[in-house]
Amino acid sequence: MDDVRATLAHPVIAPATADAEWWRGAVIYQIYPRSFQDSNGDGIGDLAGIVRRLPHVASLGVDAIWISPFFKSPMRDFGYDIADYRDVDPMFGTLDDFDALILEAHRLGLRVMIDLVLSHTAVEHPWFLESRVNRTNPKADWFVWADPKPDGSPPNNWLSMFGGSAWQWDSPRRQYYLHNFLSEQPDLNFHNEDVQAELLDIARFWLDRGVDGFRLDVINFFFHSRGLEDNPALPEDERNDSIAPSVNPYNYQDHLYDKSQPENLDFLRRFRALLDEYPSVTTVGEVGDAQRGLDIVAAYTAGNERVHMCYAFDFLQPMKISAPRVRRVLEEFETVARTGWSCWAFSNHDVMRHASRWGEWEADPVAYAKIVSALLFSLRGSVCLYQGEELGLPEAELAFEDLRDPYGIRFWPEYRGRDGCRTPMVWEEGDHASGFSEAVPWLPVSPTHGPLSVSAQVGRPDSVLEHYRRFLAFRRSHVALVKGSITFLVAEGDALVFERRDADERLLCAFNLGSGEVSFSVEDLKLAPVEEHGFVGAYEAGEIKLGPYQAFFAAIL
């Protein structure tokens, strides 16, 4: 298919670029490079492939892209184990390819954010190779090393997110090193000022190449407690599977000492000071904590000294979204983070796609995809949108032999890992790889995804793709939806009603998240319904009536 066909009826809309706080209320499109577009026939997506498909992204009306890691890596965790922070892995291309991507994205009016994985490296990184030689070399203290207990066991009871002990024995040093994820991902020692300085210099390297910001991976994992105290057990009734699957013993601990340490605030101030040297750049921090996520987000985004915004896992966990829950999370954030800013996401590269996770795929997938996306785009905060969400893609079902994710392989079959949300983007109907590659893709294309491809949906007014384009245009035309305050009026059952307000506009937003009809009185408000959002809702005699998965928007006069 001619690439232009997908955007022919929808010319590229370049978002405004003059606003220094463009990130506040921005919609950021996440690209997982391995699975976006293959340009050289090796079955793996690459930077040149991203450039080829940028017109599609720009046609959605988003403000920026976030590209998951493309640095040199042994790819045990598919780029989140970095061997060289200042170069592109050959499977993705070259630094020249990255520079070309920046130029094309900026030409299309898209900002470019990249994923910085600062908490850990790969064991192949030269820093770690030097650090493990002995206890006296210049990099000896760049990673978290600790002596064994007298019986030879690990220094404490800390657990890895990927299962088992967070400590790995290293024979050359006769010590353990800390790894919060794979054993091949040693944690950097942020208590070492030289480590901090080097990581800041890496950020400067990419800023100088023209990036517009960073997504900071596991931002609350940077520091550990120097005392290496045991984490206390978490009472069974306080455990949840919001950041790790229920079969993972990681959920059994209260992680007081292995992450979220107070020293991180000073490092984030240093990081922000660097960013402030560059106009209009931003940061999104990923906060992984099952007990105190919003509190950490509040601390990290308070004022103008640390990161610009963070996202927690409140809407990325298995629990289905509901009207009362949305209200609780948003109002809690407004309470604990009065001067902070959040970034909301329903799906990403680490969790089951929400079309499947929330169990509505079999009922009315198109209607459900439309209503939850409209809700996401109407909440106060910025938005991260994961590739394929605009097509309403469900989770791909993979056989065990097709898995590549070490996390899924470790906990199969109770937990199937992250491969199901990472399968290739579907561009064309009828092709063996749906336009992603001429070769056999690194993960199989789901049979359920092909009929939902870009070419199958483009130009169809009732499609999920056209809904995304239409609603994002509607959002841009109402500043209150982008940066305004939020006040909840109703959040009962499947009905959710709130006001978004800025200096020039008051907008009522009403949603029915369920499969039955709902109605509620707004007789104390004078409303003028607004159009162009694609939903049908009845308003008469002070009452709003919404059919299944419908929404209603009105100016409050």
Side-chain angles (χ1 to χ4, degrees):
M1 181 191 75
D2 185 350
D3 292 335
V4 177
R5 177 184 157 197
T7 56
L8 190 59
H10 297 272
V12 169
I13 302 169
T17 57
D19 185 2
E21 288 199 333
W22 64 270
W23 52 270
R24 196 180 292 274
V27 178
I28 303 164
Y29 186 95
Q30 182 193 355
I31 293 174
Y32 192 71
R34 293 182 70 91
S35 299
F36 200 59
Q37 178 65 58
D38 172 23
S39 71
N40 60 4
D42 64 358
I44 299 172
D46 45 51
L47 297 181
I50 294 174
V51 172
R52 175 183 168 189
R53 298 297 189 181
L54 280 178
H56 164 78
V57 180
S59 76
L60 296 174
V62 302
D63 301 285
I65 60 173
W66 145 32
I67 310 174
S68 291
F70 50 82
F71 314 104
K72 280 189 175 179
S73 166
M75 298 294 164
R76 293 188 184 88
D77 194 22
F78 301 104
Y80 286 87
D81 48 331
I82 295 174
D84 187 343
Y85 284 97
R86 291 182 173 88
D87 205 356
V88 175
D89 193 281
M91 73 167 56
F92 296 128
T94 65
L95 281 171
D96 286 342
D97 292 325
F98 179 79
D99 293 340
L101 188 158
I102 290 278
L103 288 173
E104 179 64 4
H106 287 173
R107 185 187 73 81
L108 293 172
L110 294 168
R111 308 271 184 162
V112 178
M113 302 175 66
I114 65 173
D115 215 325
L116 270 189
V117 187
L118 302 181
S119 72
H120 53 266
T121 72
V123 291
E124 288 84 356
H125 197 292
W127 302 343
F128 187 74
L129 295 178
E130 183 176 353
S131 185
R132 75 190 313 180
V133 170
N134 55 50
R135 304 186 189 190
T136 59
N137 69 82
K139 298 285 192 301
D141 192 41
W142 276 45
F143 293 83
V144 184
W145 297 96
D147 291 328
K149 291 181 178 178
D151 64 359
S153 60
N156 59 30
N157 71 345
W158 295 354
L159 296 174
S160 162
M161 278 281 289
F162 284 4
S165 174
W167 297 96
Q168 178 67 32
W169 178 253
D170 189 73
S171 298
R173 284 188 54 144
R174 298 188 182 181
Q175 284 183 305
Y176 285 93
Y177 65 82
L178 179 66
H179 62 92
N180 275 299
F181 300 93
L182 291 177
S183 60
E184 295 88 359
Q185 292 172 296
D187 272 54
L188 284 161
N189 179 17
F190 274 72
H191 292 289
N192 186 317
E193 292 286 332
D194 292 338
V195 169
Q196 293 188 34
E198 180 64 20
L199 294 175
L200 291 172
D201 196 58
I202 287 166
R204 186 181 295 278
F205 173 85
W206 292 103
L207 290 168
D208 288 342
R209 296 198 88 88
V211 303
D212 301 290
F214 303 104
R215 181 264 190 182
L216 296 175
D217 187 61
V218 294
I219 190 173
N220 59 313
F221 282 74
F222 291 172
F223 281 84
H224 66 286
S225 171
R226 290 180 183 270
L228 302 183
E229 301 93 334
D230 280 352
N231 283 327
L234 193 67
E236 187 171 357
D237 61 354
E238 295 182 24
R239 298 174 192 167
N240 66 70
D241 56 358
S242 61
I243 69 167
S246 58
V247 294
N248 191 340
Y250 189 84
N251 296 319
Y252 288 42
Q253 291 185 357
D254 192 1
H255 293 271
L256 296 180
Y257 300 112
D258 52 349
K259 62 183 180 182
S260 307
Q261 299 303 295
E263 295 94 331
N264 205 22
L265 297 176
D266 286 334
F267 174 74
L268 295 180
R269 288 189 188 96
R270 293 185 66 189
F271 198 91
R272 179 61 176 266
L274 168 63
L275 265 63
D276 287 346
E277 297 177 24
Y278 297 79
S280 301
V281 299
T282 193
T283 44
V284 179
E286 177 196 29
V287 172
D289 191 278
Q291 275 68 51
R292 293 165 290 273
L294 283 182
D295 290 330
I296 296 169
V297 169
Y300 289 5
T301 63
N304 298 308
E305 294 184 328
R306 298 155 195 152
V307 294
H308 299 78
M309 50 189 166
C310 284
Y311 71 85
F313 281 70
D314 296 88
F315 298 131
L316 292 170
Q317 56 186 276
M319 184 188 305
K320 183 182 174 182
I321 198 168
S322 67
R325 185 159 160 260
V326 170
R327 179 172 185 167
R328 177 185 59 79
V329 171
L330 268 290
E331 288 187 334
E332 182 180 348
F333 180 81
E334 294 294 313
T335 299
V336 302
R338 294 182 182 277
T339 61
W341 193 259
S342 189
C343 186
W344 306 110
F346 288 171
S347 288
N348 68 16
H349 64 293
D350 280 334
V351 300
M352 178 185 291
R353 288 184 177 271
H354 67 264
S356 298
R357 191 170 77 246
W358 293 339
E360 295 287 341
W361 179 250
E362 297 297 334
D364 193 339
V366 172
Y368 191 69
K370 290 178 180 179
I371 193 66
V372 296
S373 64
L375 172 62
L376 176 64
F377 295 138
S378 300
L379 298 177
R380 182 175 187 265
S382 301
V383 173
C384 279
L385 169 66
Y386 183 50
Q387 65 183 50
E389 279 187 60
E390 76 274 25
L391 305 178
L393 296 186
E395 186 82 349
E397 294 288 337
L398 300 178
F400 179 76
E401 55 268 24
D402 291 324
L403 296 189
R404 299 293 181 267
D405 179 19
Y407 204 178
I409 293 170
R410 175 74 182 268
F411 288 107
W412 177 275
E414 288 79 12
Y415 173 64
R416 296 175 177 266
R418 303 167 294 179
D419 290 320
C421 67
R422 297 176 175 183
T423 55
M425 181 73 173
V426 286
W427 299 101
E428 302 169 18
E429 281 187 282
D431 182 85
H432 83 285
S434 295
F436 165 72
S437 176
E438 296 179 358
V440 176
W442 76 284
L443 283 175
V445 174
S446 171
T448 63
H449 288 186
L452 302 174
S453 66
V454 172
S455 68
Q457 297 195 41
V458 68
R460 284 177 37 203
D462 62 341
S463 70
V464 175
L465 173 59
E466 296 301 342
H467 157 77
Y468 269 71
R469 288 169 164 166
R470 180 170 55 244
F471 198 88
L472 283 171
F474 170 74
R475 185 177 187 271
R476 286 194 307 275
S477 68
H478 294 277
V479 178
L481 283 178
V482 179
K483 298 189 179 185
S485 63
I486 188 168
T487 303
F488 286 87
L489 306 178
V490 178
E492 299 176 354
D494 293 320
L496 183 67
V497 187
F498 50 81
E499 176 187 343
R500 297 297 309 276
R501 182 175 187 171
D502 77 337
D504 301 314
E505 182 181 37
R506 297 177 65 191
L507 192 67
L508 181 109
C509 310
F511 301 85
N512 178 7
L513 302 180
S515 57
E517 294 186 354
V518 299
S519 62
F520 37 86
S521 174
V522 288
E523 59 184 12
D524 56 333
L525 297 175
K526 186 177 181 181
L527 302 179
V530 295
E531 306 292 339
E532 308 302 328
H533 46 71
F535 291 99
V536 178
Y539 170 60
E540 186 176 356
E543 186 177 48
I544 296 173
K545 295 181 179 180
L546 296 176
Y549 310 123
Q550 284 298 314
F552 173 81
F553 298 85
I556 302 176
L557 304 177

